[in-house]
Amino acid sequence: PAPNYEQSVRRRDVVDHFQALVKRLQSTVKEDEDGEDEESLPDGWVKHLNEEGDPYYHCVKTNQTTWERPVKPKLPVGWVKYTTDDGAVYYANEFTNSTTWEFP
């Protein structure tokens, strides 16, 4: 039997939603025009392009978006960033020999 009107509308909504999701994922870029990659963005930030090709930035941790490129904060003097074998990031202070999982 042919689908009724409600089933047809729901199916169309699902297809539209899926197509929008695919387009959004395709707009995610790994490298800026100036050669800076996502590694230069603060943790949790991802660059996307809107339908016109303009870049915008999204923080997956806070769900914040902005047109301006977020700046990665610099470590205070004496602090060094390390990564464990399993990929966890921690920071060590060369002067006090203290360590922390949080950005100092």
Side-chain angles (χ1 to χ4, degrees):
N4 64 30
Y5 176 76
E6 275 187 32
Q7 290 172 325
S8 178
V9 168
R10 276 186 289 198
R11 202 170 285 136
R12 221 173 317 125
D13 288 343
V14 169
V15 169
D16 290 346
H17 178 74
F18 180 73
Q19 288 173 337
L21 181 60
V22 168
K23 189 172 188 176
R24 184 173 161 203
L25 290 173
Q26 288 172 336
S27 75
T28 302
V29 296
K30 292 291 182 188
E31 190 168 316
D32 283 337
E33 301 78 30
D34 59 5
E36 292 182 358
D37 61 18
E38 288 192 1
E39 290 294 316
S40 65
L41 291 172
D43 292 339
W45 286 90
V46 180
K47 179 183 174 187
H48 297 280
L49 297 177
N50 67 8
E51 291 178 3
E52 290 81 33
D54 299 318
Y56 68 95
Y57 303 90
H58 174 245
C59 180
V60 295
K61 294 177 182 179
T62 65
N63 209 28
Q64 177 185 0
T65 59
T66 181
W67 292 107
E68 298 194 18
R69 183 182 182 86
V71 178
K72 193 174 221 176
K74 297 196 185 294
L75 282 170
V77 174
W79 286 93
V80 179
K81 178 180 174 180
Y82 292 99
T83 305
T84 64
D85 291 339
D86 61 352
V89 173
Y90 70 98
Y91 303 90
N93 186 302
E94 297 175 323
F95 302 123
T96 64
N97 291 325
S98 61
T99 60
T100 179
W101 295 105
E102 302 296 320
F103 188 88

